[in-house]
Amino acid sequence: MKAYIVSMASSLLFLGSLPAFSDMHADMQQLAEDKQCLSCHGRTDDTPRAPGFKSIAAKYSDGEMRGYLVDVVMSGGEDHWGSATMPEPGEKRAEVSEEEAQQLVDWILGMHKE
């Protein structure tokens, strides 16, 4: 009986977190759109211009390169994924603060678990 109660309580806690997760996903999707990430990237590799978020998450799944990814999101550059060049902020891409870059990177890396 105790196991049943613990199981039910855990389920209710998980279900209660779903709206928060959904809201967070929608917020991050909007941030990615606002910062023009979705102009080149998609959730999958369907967009030929840049790697998909899931591929990025798989490549960097250990999280050791998180700081590097934050820097790339903030400054752009080349030679970090084949021949694709990520535009520098400014004319072709919106400015991304460090906090926004950290949020986007954490969201993208979280896609490895999906």
Side-chain angles (χ1 to χ4, degrees):
M1 184 66 170
K2 282 185 182 179
Y4 175 76
I5 292 171
V6 169
S7 175
M8 289 301 292
S10 296
S11 296
L12 290 172
L13 285 173
F14 173 75
L15 290 174
S17 69
L18 286 178
F21 174 79
S22 179
D23 290 346
M24 188 270 307
H25 175 71
D27 291 346
M28 295 313 303
Q29 184 78 23
Q30 185 62 53
L31 180 60
E33 190 173 314
D34 292 347
K35 297 302 176 177
Q36 300 166 311
C37 304
L38 302 178
S39 297
C40 298
H41 296 277
R43 204 167 177 76
T44 62
D45 288 330
D46 295 338
T47 307
R49 296 175 74 185
F53 291 147
K54 285 190 174 192
S55 292
I56 295 168
K59 182 175 180 176
Y60 298 105
S61 64
D62 61 11
E64 290 181 22
M65 300 293 286
R66 182 182 178 275
Y68 167 76
L69 292 174
V70 169
D71 288 342
V72 168
V73 170
M74 288 175 23
S75 61
E78 54 188 82
D79 296 329
H80 53 267
W81 194 287
S83 62
T85 299
M86 187 166 170
E88 294 179 12
E91 195 173 304
K92 294 186 178 185
R93 187 168 75 89
E95 295 280 336
V96 181
S97 72
E98 184 172 357
E99 181 181 348
E100 291 166 334
Q102 290 173 357
Q103 291 171 351
L104 287 164
V105 167
D106 290 344
W107 177 60
I108 292 166
L109 292 177
M111 291 182 192
H112 181 65
K113 299 172 189 166
E114 295 178 356

